[in-house]
Amino acid sequence: VIGLCFSACKKDDVPEGYMEHQGDFYKNPVPVQFDSNNDGIIDASDAFIEVLGTNLLASETPSGGALYSGETDGVRNGVRYCYQNVERNCEKNGSLYSMETALNADWETLLQNASANMNDQNGNGMWDYIDEILSSVYINKECGAASAQAAKEFVNRINQIITPEVLVPSVEGITQEAIHRTMTDVLKKSLNDTKTYVDITSIQEVLNKAITSIIEFTATSPENDWVNTYHLSYAQLDIIANSVAGNAATALSNKIANDALVQIKKESVSENHVQGLCPNGFHVPSDTDWIMFEMALGMSASEAMQSGIEITNRGAAAKVVEKMIHTHGFAYSGYMTEGEHFVSENDAGVFMSSSVGVDDEGYYMWVREIAKSEKYTGVIRYKHYAPSGLSVRCFKN
C-alpha cells in the first residue's frame, strides 16, 4: 500500500515544453527576434525576447518569503487573487495582484528604483534621449525639413486649384517660415511637459491642429490674402490645410518616434531588471521591454510610441494582439477594480510593467491592455493610476 501511495502521490514530471515554478507549470517562452542594434535588418547579431507563456501564478516571493503586504488604498497587498475567488480561474488565466505585491516593494522603493534606472547624466530630471530630441540642433533640422515639405505641398495643392495662374514666389517661403515656427514651439512645449517619456500621440495631435491653424491664418492675413486673390473658398482652404497639416504632423512624429526608439534601445541595455514575483531568470517587463516586444511582433515605431487609453489600434495592422494570444499565451484574464470587484474575464486583460512614476494625478504604472471589443484592435498603452488587481507576464532576463 505504501508503495502504491508513493507511486500515486509522486509529483508529475515537468511536461515537455514547460518549466516548473512554485509547483505550477508554465509554457516555455517562444523566442522572438528584434532589431536590437538598429541597423534596419534582423540577423544573427540581433537579440531575442522571451516571454513566459502564462500569466504568473505565484503564492510567495521567488526566495520563498511571504508576498509583500504593506498598506494600500485599493486592492489589498499580500494577496494572490483568483478571478471570482475560484481557484480554477487562476489555473486557467493566472492570478491578479496589487501593483506593489507584483513588484514586491512599496511605492517609495519602486520610485527609487525607477530613478536609478533613469538615464539622466545632467541631472535635470529628463531622460537623456529626450534632451537629445529637445536640442535646438535637432529641432531646427527636423522642423526645417518637415516645414519645407509642408510648404511645398501647400503651394502645389493651391496651384492645382488655380491653374493656369501662378502664385507669387514669396508664398512658399512665408508658409514655410510660419509652419517652422509653429512646429518648433509645439515640440519644445510638448517635450518639456513630458520629461520621462515622449508623448508621440499628443505631439501629433497638437502639431496637426497648430499647423492647420497657422496655414489658414497665413493664407487669410491681409498681406497674404490668397483666398480672395485666387478665388478660393474657405472650405477649399480648410481641406488643403487639414491635409497638409496631417501629413506634416505624421511625418515629423514618425521621425521623432524612430529617433527616440534608437536611443531607448541603447539606454535599455543599462536598465536594472525588477524581478518582482517572477521566477529566477525572469523579470517584470519595463515599459521599454514591452515596446521592444511589440515591435518584434511587427508594431511600427510610431505606433509603439503612442499612448493613451483612447489609442486602441496600436499594432492592429500587424495583428500584434493575435500573435500575443496565439503564439505567446496571452489571455483575456480580467482584472480587479480598486473596490475589489472582478470585471472583464474573457473580455480584457491588463498587464503590469515595472515602469512607475508619480505626477499630478498620483502614483502610476505603465500598463498594457488587450480587449475583445471591435473597437480595441490593438495593444493599449497607458498610465494606470487606480490601485487595481492586474495580471503579470514575465520576460526572460
Side-chain angles (χ1 to χ4, degrees):
V1 175
I2 294 176
L4 290 173
C5 182
F6 176 80
S7 176
C9 299
K10 179 178 180 294
K11 182 176 175 62
D12 292 337
D13 292 332
V14 179
E16 185 177 353
Y18 285 74
M19 61 170 279
E20 186 271 338
H21 176 62
Q22 295 183 6
D24 292 300
F25 298 138
Y26 297 82
K27 288 183 179 179
N28 287 331
V30 176
V32 55
Q33 202 171 18
F34 73 108
D35 182 20
S36 57
N37 58 10
N38 297 302
D39 63 357
I41 58 173
I42 296 177
D43 54 30
S45 65
D46 287 309
F48 287 86
I49 297 174
E50 299 181 59
V51 182
L52 200 60
T54 316
N55 288 339
L56 194 63
L57 253 172
S59 55
E60 57 187 30
T61 65
S63 61
L67 300 177
Y68 172 81
S69 57
E71 293 184 6
T72 179
D73 293 329
V75 168
R76 283 170 289 166
N77 286 326
V79 181
R80 183 192 71 137
Y81 290 95
C82 299
Y83 197 90
Q84 299 292 18
N85 296 317
V86 177
E87 183 66 30
R88 67 174 178 270
N89 286 333
C90 271
E91 295 172 0
K92 176 185 175 184
N93 284 327
S95 307
L96 304 174
Y97 302 91
S98 70
M99 299 180 193
E100 292 168 281
T101 295
L103 297 182
N104 198 29
D106 60 78
W107 274 108
E108 295 308 317
T109 300
L110 295 174
L111 291 173
Q112 289 174 10
N113 290 341
S115 178
N117 271 334
M118 185 176 182
N119 289 281
D120 179 24
Q121 292 188 3
N122 60 8
N124 66 346
M126 180 176 286
W127 284 83
D128 291 336
Y129 78 89
I130 300 180
D131 272 326
E132 186 169 319
I133 293 172
L134 191 54
S135 72
S136 58
V137 173
Y138 180 92
I139 286 182
N140 284 332
K141 177 184 176 183
E142 299 307 331
C143 288
S147 60
Q149 182 60 38
K152 183 177 181 180
E153 181 186 352
F154 176 66
V155 169
N156 288 340
R157 285 178 177 270
I158 291 181
N159 270 318
Q160 289 170 8
I161 295 176
I162 66 170
T163 302
E165 297 182 63
V166 180
L167 293 177
V168 293
S170 62
V171 170
E172 187 172 328
I174 293 170
T175 309
Q176 179 177 344
E177 183 180 345
I179 295 174
H180 182 273
R181 185 172 61 253
T182 298
M183 285 182 165
T184 300
D185 291 345
V186 167
L187 284 189
K188 285 180 178 177
K189 184 178 188 310
S190 297
L191 294 170
N192 271 307
D193 285 347
T194 54
K195 296 185 177 182
T196 58
Y197 72 106
V198 171
D199 190 347
I200 206 71
T201 303
S202 175
I203 288 174
Q204 186 162 350
E205 290 176 350
V206 176
L207 272 175
N208 201 331
K209 292 178 182 178
I211 295 171
T212 300
S213 177
I214 200 66
I215 288 176
E216 292 180 341
F217 174 80
T218 305
T220 57
S221 60
E223 65 271 27
N224 307 308
D225 193 358
W226 308 322
V227 171
N228 291 324
T229 302
Y230 299 110
H231 309 293
L232 299 173
S233 70
Y234 284 99
Q236 288 175 309
L237 176 62
D238 191 53
I239 291 171
I240 293 172
N242 273 286
S243 177
V244 172
N247 290 341
T250 298
L252 186 54
S253 297
N254 287 348
K255 184 67 168 64
I256 293 170
N258 277 286
D259 290 345
L261 279 169
V262 168
Q263 296 304 317
I264 287 173
K265 286 180 186 178
K266 292 177 181 177
E267 294 184 7
S268 67
V269 175
S270 61
E271 191 174 77
N272 295 313
H273 295 313
V274 176
Q275 183 174 359
L277 297 184
C278 289
N280 292 331
F282 289 81
H283 63 279
V284 180
S286 66
D287 183 53
T288 300
D289 288 326
W290 277 113
I291 288 174
M292 298 301 105
F293 177 56
E294 291 162 337
M295 290 185 64
L297 297 184
M299 188 180 291
S300 68
S302 56
E303 288 179 313
M305 293 297 287
Q306 288 181 321
S307 60
I309 196 70
E310 73 285 352
I311 307 297
T312 60
N313 61 346
R314 291 176 67 252
K319 299 187 181 300
V320 171
V321 173
E322 288 87 338
K323 294 172 186 175
M324 290 168 66
I325 292 171
H326 298 304
T327 304
H328 300 278
F330 280 75
Y332 299 108
S333 44
Y335 60 94
M336 176 185 273
T337 69
E338 58 185 310
E340 297 194 318
H341 300 292
F342 294 100
V343 294
S344 296
E345 186 187 27
N346 297 321
D347 288 322
V350 186
F351 308 94
M352 299 190 198
S353 82
S354 60
S355 297
V356 302
V358 59
D359 59 21
D360 293 341
E361 296 185 47
Y363 295 123
Y364 66 83
M365 169 188 283
W366 283 100
V367 302
R368 295 301 188 277
E369 180 175 346
I370 58 174
K372 281 186 178 177
S373 165
E374 291 182 2
K375 176 184 175 183
Y376 297 92
T377 56
V379 185
I380 310 168
R381 171 191 181 229
Y382 61 95
K383 288 181 177 181
H384 190 86
Y385 293 89
S388 314
L390 310 178
S391 298
V392 181
R393 298 297 302 218
C394 299
F395 283 37
K396 195 169 184 178
N397 295 349

PDB file of all heavy atoms in Angstrom, residues 255-278:
ATOM      1  N   LYS A 255       9.344  60.534 -37.448  1.00  0.00           N
ATOM      2  CA  LYS A 255      10.799  60.735 -37.337  1.00  0.00           C
ATOM      3  C   LYS A 255      11.218  60.788 -35.872  1.00  0.00           C
ATOM      4  O   LYS A 255      12.205  60.160 -35.469  1.00  0.00           O
ATOM      5  CB  LYS A 255      11.183  62.049 -38.031  1.00  0.00           C
ATOM      6  CG  LYS A 255      12.694  62.327 -38.057  1.00  0.00           C
ATOM      7  CD  LYS A 255      13.424  61.323 -38.931  1.00  0.00           C
ATOM      8  CE  LYS A 255      14.869  61.717 -39.213  1.00  0.00           C
ATOM      9  NZ  LYS A 255      15.718  61.753 -38.022  1.00  0.00           N
ATOM     10  N   ILE A 256      10.468  61.518 -35.061  1.00  0.00           N
ATOM     11  CA  ILE A 256      10.776  61.615 -33.635  1.00  0.00           C
ATOM     12  C   ILE A 256      10.659  60.257 -32.969  1.00  0.00           C
ATOM     13  O   ILE A 256      11.514  59.861 -32.161  1.00  0.00           O
ATOM     14  CB  ILE A 256       9.839  62.634 -32.950  1.00  0.00           C
ATOM     15  CG1 ILE A 256      10.141  64.042 -33.462  1.00  0.00           C
ATOM     16  CG2 ILE A 256       9.979  62.579 -31.433  1.00  0.00           C
ATOM     17  CD1 ILE A 256       9.119  65.072 -33.040  1.00  0.00           C
ATOM     18  N   ALA A 257       9.604  59.504 -33.293  1.00  0.00           N
ATOM     19  CA  ALA A 257       9.402  58.184 -32.695  1.00  0.00           C
ATOM     20  C   ALA A 257      10.565  57.250 -33.013  1.00  0.00           C
ATOM     21  O   ALA A 257      11.089  56.557 -32.131  1.00  0.00           O
ATOM     22  CB  ALA A 257       8.090  57.583 -33.191  1.00  0.00           C
ATOM     23  N   ASN A 258      10.981  57.225 -34.278  1.00  0.00           N
ATOM     24  CA  ASN A 258      12.098  56.368 -34.674  1.00  0.00           C
ATOM     25  C   ASN A 258      13.391  56.770 -33.985  1.00  0.00           C
ATOM     26  O   ASN A 258      14.137  55.921 -33.491  1.00  0.00           O
ATOM     27  CB  ASN A 258      12.272  56.404 -36.193  1.00  0.00           C
ATOM     28  CG  ASN A 258      11.338  55.458 -36.912  1.00  0.00           C
ATOM     29  OD1 ASN A 258      11.529  54.251 -36.896  1.00  0.00           O
ATOM     30  ND2 ASN A 258      10.314  56.010 -37.543  1.00  0.00           N
ATOM     31  N   ASP A 259      13.670  58.069 -33.944  1.00  0.00           N
ATOM     32  CA  ASP A 259      14.895  58.540 -33.307  1.00  0.00           C
ATOM     33  C   ASP A 259      14.878  58.284 -31.807  1.00  0.00           C
ATOM     34  O   ASP A 259      15.902  57.934 -31.201  1.00  0.00           O
ATOM     35  CB  ASP A 259      15.087  60.036 -33.583  1.00  0.00           C
ATOM     36  CG  ASP A 259      15.423  60.315 -35.040  1.00  0.00           C
ATOM     37  OD1 ASP A 259      15.773  59.357 -35.745  1.00  0.00           O
ATOM     38  OD2 ASP A 259      15.322  61.481 -35.467  1.00  0.00           O
ATOM     39  N   ALA A 260      13.713  58.456 -31.190  1.00  0.00           N
ATOM     40  CA  ALA A 260      13.594  58.195 -29.750  1.00  0.00           C
ATOM     41  C   ALA A 260      13.846  56.723 -29.450  1.00  0.00           C
ATOM     42  O   ALA A 260      14.556  56.375 -28.493  1.00  0.00           O
ATOM     43  CB  ALA A 260      12.210  58.614 -29.252  1.00  0.00           C
ATOM     44  N   LEU A 261      13.304  55.844 -30.279  1.00  0.00           N
ATOM     45  CA  LEU A 261      13.453  54.419 -30.025  1.00  0.00           C
ATOM     46  C   LEU A 261      14.878  53.930 -30.222  1.00  0.00           C
ATOM     47  O   LEU A 261      15.328  53.008 -29.544  1.00  0.00           O
ATOM     48  CB  LEU A 261      12.491  53.633 -30.915  1.00  0.00           C
ATOM     49  CG  LEU A 261      11.066  53.578 -30.371  1.00  0.00           C
ATOM     50  CD1 LEU A 261      10.104  53.021 -31.388  1.00  0.00           C
ATOM     51  CD2 LEU A 261      11.021  52.744 -29.102  1.00  0.00           C
ATOM     52  N   VAL A 262      15.599  54.554 -31.135  1.00  0.00           N
ATOM     53  CA  VAL A 262      17.014  54.208 -31.291  1.00  0.00           C
ATOM     54  C   VAL A 262      17.749  54.465 -29.982  1.00  0.00           C
ATOM     55  O   VAL A 262      18.545  53.636 -29.513  1.00  0.00           O
ATOM     56  CB  VAL A 262      17.650  55.022 -32.440  1.00  0.00           C
ATOM     57  CG1 VAL A 262      19.176  54.891 -32.403  1.00  0.00           C
ATOM     58  CG2 VAL A 262      17.114  54.553 -33.787  1.00  0.00           C
ATOM     59  N   GLN A 263      17.475  55.610 -29.370  1.00  0.00           N
ATOM     60  CA  GLN A 263      18.125  55.947 -28.100  1.00  0.00           C
ATOM     61  C   GLN A 263      17.618  55.072 -26.966  1.00  0.00           C
ATOM     62  O   GLN A 263      18.388  54.657 -26.092  1.00  0.00           O
ATOM     63  CB  GLN A 263      17.887  57.430 -27.773  1.00  0.00           C
ATOM     64  CG  GLN A 263      18.503  58.396 -28.756  1.00  0.00           C
ATOM     65  CD  GLN A 263      19.996  58.191 -28.920  1.00  0.00           C
ATOM     66  OE1 GLN A 263      20.721  57.992 -27.953  1.00  0.00           O
ATOM     67  NE2 GLN A 263      20.463  58.212 -30.156  1.00  0.00           N
ATOM     68  N   ILE A 264      16.315  54.774 -26.953  1.00  0.00           N
ATOM     69  CA  ILE A 264      15.744  53.937 -25.899  1.00  0.00           C
ATOM     70  C   ILE A 264      16.391  52.554 -25.912  1.00  0.00           C
ATOM     71  O   ILE A 264      16.713  51.992 -24.862  1.00  0.00           O
ATOM     72  CB  ILE A 264      14.217  53.827 -26.078  1.00  0.00           C
ATOM     73  CG1 ILE A 264      13.552  55.145 -25.683  1.00  0.00           C
ATOM     74  CG2 ILE A 264      13.650  52.698 -25.222  1.00  0.00           C
ATOM     75  CD1 ILE A 264      12.066  55.196 -25.982  1.00  0.00           C
ATOM     76  N   LYS A 265      16.583  52.004 -27.095  1.00  0.00           N
ATOM     77  CA  LYS A 265      17.226  50.689 -27.189  1.00  0.00           C
ATOM     78  C   LYS A 265      18.631  50.723 -26.594  1.00  0.00           C
ATOM     79  O   LYS A 265      19.050  49.805 -25.884  1.00  0.00           O
ATOM     80  CB  LYS A 265      17.294  50.242 -28.653  1.00  0.00           C
ATOM     81  CG  LYS A 265      15.974  49.797 -29.239  1.00  0.00           C
ATOM     82  CD  LYS A 265      16.159  49.374 -30.691  1.00  0.00           C
ATOM     83  CE  LYS A 265      14.843  49.064 -31.374  1.00  0.00           C
ATOM     84  NZ  LYS A 265      15.012  48.692 -32.794  1.00  0.00           N
ATOM     85  N   LYS A 266      19.374  51.787 -26.889  1.00  0.00           N
ATOM     86  CA  LYS A 266      20.737  51.911 -26.359  1.00  0.00           C
ATOM     87  C   LYS A 266      20.714  52.028 -24.834  1.00  0.00           C
ATOM     88  O   LYS A 266      21.495  51.397 -24.139  1.00  0.00           O
ATOM     89  CB  LYS A 266      21.429  53.130 -26.966  1.00  0.00           C
ATOM     90  CG  LYS A 266      21.724  53.016 -28.458  1.00  0.00           C
ATOM     91  CD  LYS A 266      22.351  54.301 -28.985  1.00  0.00           C
ATOM     92  CE  LYS A 266      22.631  54.213 -30.474  1.00  0.00           C
ATOM     93  NZ  LYS A 266      23.185  55.491 -31.004  1.00  0.00           N
ATOM     94  N   GLU A 267      19.799  52.854 -24.322  1.00  0.00           N
ATOM     95  CA  GLU A 267      19.751  53.102 -22.889  1.00  0.00           C
ATOM     96  C   GLU A 267      19.193  51.912 -22.119  1.00  0.00           C
ATOM     97  O   GLU A 267      19.522  51.711 -20.948  1.00  0.00           O
ATOM     98  CB  GLU A 267      18.923  54.356 -22.598  1.00  0.00           C
ATOM     99  CG  GLU A 267      19.562  55.626 -23.139  1.00  0.00           C
ATOM    100  CD  GLU A 267      18.799  56.887 -22.780  1.00  0.00           C
ATOM    101  OE1 GLU A 267      17.837  56.793 -21.982  1.00  0.00           O
ATOM    102  OE2 GLU A 267      19.165  57.963 -23.274  1.00  0.00           O
ATOM    103  N   SER A 268      18.362  51.095 -22.758  1.00  0.00           N
ATOM    104  CA  SER A 268      17.747  49.973 -22.059  1.00  0.00           C
ATOM    105  C   SER A 268      18.768  48.910 -21.674  1.00  0.00           C
ATOM    106  O   SER A 268      18.528  48.098 -20.783  1.00  0.00           O
ATOM    107  CB  SER A 268      16.649  49.344 -22.925  1.00  0.00           C
ATOM    108  OG  SER A 268      17.196  48.729 -24.075  1.00  0.00           O
ATOM    109  N   VAL A 269      19.918  48.914 -22.334  1.00  0.00           N
ATOM    110  CA  VAL A 269      20.962  47.943 -22.023  1.00  0.00           C
ATOM    111  C   VAL A 269      21.420  48.080 -20.575  1.00  0.00           C
ATOM    112  O   VAL A 269      21.764  47.098 -19.913  1.00  0.00           O
ATOM    113  CB  VAL A 269      22.164  48.112 -22.981  1.00  0.00           C
ATOM    114  CG1 VAL A 269      23.299  47.182 -22.588  1.00  0.00           C
ATOM    115  CG2 VAL A 269      21.725  47.833 -24.417  1.00  0.00           C
ATOM    116  N   SER A 270      21.434  49.316 -20.056  1.00  0.00           N
ATOM    117  CA  SER A 270      21.921  49.554 -18.699  1.00  0.00           C
ATOM    118  C   SER A 270      20.810  49.475 -17.648  1.00  0.00           C
ATOM    119  O   SER A 270      21.034  49.716 -16.471  1.00  0.00           O
ATOM    120  CB  SER A 270      22.574  50.942 -18.622  1.00  0.00           C
ATOM    121  OG  SER A 270      21.631  51.960 -18.923  1.00  0.00           O
ATOM    122  N   GLU A 271      19.592  49.110 -18.075  1.00  0.00           N
ATOM    123  CA  GLU A 271      18.455  49.077 -17.160  1.00  0.00           C
ATOM    124  C   GLU A 271      18.546  47.887 -16.211  1.00  0.00           C
ATOM    125  O   GLU A 271      18.846  46.768 -16.621  1.00  0.00           O
ATOM    126  CB  GLU A 271      17.163  48.987 -17.989  1.00  0.00           C
ATOM    127  CG  GLU A 271      15.892  49.199 -17.207  1.00  0.00           C
ATOM    128  CD  GLU A 271      14.681  49.244 -18.139  1.00  0.00           C
ATOM    129  OE1 GLU A 271      14.263  48.161 -18.586  1.00  0.00           O
ATOM    130  OE2 GLU A 271      14.193  50.346 -18.430  1.00  0.00           O
ATOM    131  N   ASN A 272      18.308  48.133 -14.927  1.00  0.00           N
ATOM    132  CA  ASN A 272      18.283  47.064 -13.938  1.00  0.00           C
ATOM    133  C   ASN A 272      16.900  46.420 -13.931  1.00  0.00           C
ATOM    134  O   ASN A 272      15.888  47.096 -13.793  1.00  0.00           O
ATOM    135  CB  ASN A 272      18.607  47.614 -12.543  1.00  0.00           C
ATOM    136  CG  ASN A 272      20.015  48.145 -12.438  1.00  0.00           C
ATOM    137  OD1 ASN A 272      20.955  47.488 -12.868  1.00  0.00           O
ATOM    138  ND2 ASN A 272      20.170  49.333 -11.875  1.00  0.00           N
ATOM    139  N   HIS A 273      16.856  45.092 -14.068  1.00  0.00           N
ATOM    140  CA  HIS A 273      15.586  44.391 -14.090  1.00  0.00           C
ATOM    141  C   HIS A 273      14.935  44.390 -12.706  1.00  0.00           C
ATOM    142  O   HIS A 273      15.611  44.343 -11.684  1.00  0.00           O
ATOM    143  CB  HIS A 273      15.784  42.939 -14.534  1.00  0.00           C
ATOM    144  CG  HIS A 273      16.263  42.795 -15.936  1.00  0.00           C
ATOM    145  ND1 HIS A 273      15.697  43.486 -16.989  1.00  0.00           N
ATOM    146  CD2 HIS A 273      17.255  42.026 -16.481  1.00  0.00           C
ATOM    147  CE1 HIS A 273      16.311  43.143 -18.120  1.00  0.00           C
ATOM    148  NE2 HIS A 273      17.265  42.282 -17.838  1.00  0.00           N
ATOM    149  N   VAL A 274      13.611  44.442 -12.691  1.00  0.00           N
ATOM    150  CA  VAL A 274      12.842  44.315 -11.452  1.00  0.00           C
ATOM    151  C   VAL A 274      12.221  42.925 -11.468  1.00  0.00           C
ATOM    152  O   VAL A 274      11.306  42.650 -12.254  1.00  0.00           O
ATOM    153  CB  VAL A 274      11.742  45.393 -11.354  1.00  0.00           C
ATOM    154  CG1 VAL A 274      10.898  45.184 -10.102  1.00  0.00           C
ATOM    155  CG2 VAL A 274      12.366  46.788 -11.354  1.00  0.00           C
ATOM    156  N   GLN A 275      12.717  42.034 -10.620  1.00  0.00           N
ATOM    157  CA  GLN A 275      12.243  40.655 -10.644  1.00  0.00           C
ATOM    158  C   GLN A 275      10.814  40.540 -10.139  1.00  0.00           C
ATOM    159  O   GLN A 275      10.019  39.782 -10.686  1.00  0.00           O
ATOM    160  CB  GLN A 275      13.156  39.749  -9.811  1.00  0.00           C
ATOM    161  CG  GLN A 275      12.729  38.284  -9.861  1.00  0.00           C
ATOM    162  CD  GLN A 275      13.701  37.362  -9.154  1.00  0.00           C
ATOM    163  OE1 GLN A 275      14.733  37.788  -8.630  1.00  0.00           O
ATOM    164  NE2 GLN A 275      13.390  36.060  -9.128  1.00  0.00           N
ATOM    165  N   GLY A 276      10.470  41.284  -9.089  1.00  0.00           N
ATOM    166  CA  GLY A 276       9.135  41.175  -8.523  1.00  0.00           C
ATOM    167  C   GLY A 276       8.834  39.742  -8.132  1.00  0.00           C
ATOM    168  O   GLY A 276       9.673  39.064  -7.531  1.00  0.00           O
ATOM    169  N   LEU A 277       7.672  39.223  -8.505  1.00  0.00           N
ATOM    170  CA  LEU A 277       7.290  37.850  -8.186  1.00  0.00           C
ATOM    171  C   LEU A 277       7.702  36.854  -9.262  1.00  0.00           C
ATOM    172  O   LEU A 277       7.396  35.661  -9.155  1.00  0.00           O
ATOM    173  CB  LEU A 277       5.775  37.765  -7.987  1.00  0.00           C
ATOM    174  CG  LEU A 277       5.181  38.582  -6.828  1.00  0.00           C
ATOM    175  CD1 LEU A 277       3.683  38.306  -6.715  1.00  0.00           C
ATOM    176  CD2 LEU A 277       5.875  38.256  -5.510  1.00  0.00           C
ATOM    177  N   CYS A 278       8.384  37.313 -10.303  1.00  0.00           N
ATOM    178  CA  CYS A 278       8.747  36.428 -11.405  1.00  0.00           C
ATOM    179  C   CYS A 278       9.791  35.388 -10.981  1.00  0.00           C
ATOM    180  O   CYS A 278      10.579  35.634 -10.057  1.00  0.00           O
ATOM    181  CB  CYS A 278       9.285  37.236 -12.584  1.00  0.00           C
ATOM    182  SG  CYS A 278       8.005  38.189 -13.445  1.00  0.00           S
TER     183      CYS A 278
END
